[in-house]
Amino acid sequence: MAGKKRYAVAASGSWTDEEDGRRLPAGEVHAWEQGMNQTVCGLSLHRSRLTRLSHVAWTDTFPESGGAADRVRRVCPRCASVAGRRGPDARPRWQRVNPRP
């Protein structure tokens, strides 16, 4: 069985944090698997002019994480549904309770 996938971030823009000198996402963010040339929702990185930020984890782009979400304006809802939106206000994942035989 495959392990849990780790998603990085592809963003429409980036900015550099003055304190630690890291590039962080800005604008619209998408989940991206390293080694792929497209986002999880199917956008081409090159054609959409998205910047790859492989050092930023997908979970750090949510405002409640307190991570790299300072200048994130929009999180792609399609990517969030695939890659997950884990946080304090996240609903538990869907699970069948009483399956049919």
Side-chain angles (χ1 to χ4, degrees), residues 34-55:
Q34 292 186 16
M36 301 293 285
N37 197 26
Q38 66 182 12
T39 63
V40 174
C41 65
L43 290 177
S44 169
L45 294 173
H46 180 71
R47 287 186 178 167
S48 301
R49 296 185 180 189
L50 295 174
T51 305
R52 296 174 181 104
L53 299 165
S54 58
H55 59 280

Side-chain angles (χ1 to χ4, degrees), residues 17-92:
D17 188 11
E18 294 175 5
E19 292 178 10
D20 58 2
R22 286 181 22 171
R23 283 186 330 142
L24 298 173
E28 183 174 354
V29 294
H30 295 268
W32 165 65
E33 281 186 77
Q34 292 186 16
M36 301 293 285
N37 197 26
Q38 66 182 12
T39 63
V40 174
C41 65
L43 290 177
S44 169
L45 294 173
H46 180 71
R47 287 186 178 167
S48 301
R49 296 185 180 189
L50 295 174
T51 305
R52 296 174 181 104
L53 299 165
S54 58
H55 59 280
V56 179
W58 171 248
T59 54
D60 289 341
T61 60
F62 300 114
E64 58 270 8
S65 71
D70 292 341
R71 297 191 185 173
V72 171
R73 297 290 172 240
R74 182 176 184 269
V75 175
C76 174
R78 291 162 59 191
C79 289
S81 69
V82 173
R85 182 180 176 116
R86 299 286 96 196
D89 63 340
R91 295 184 304 182

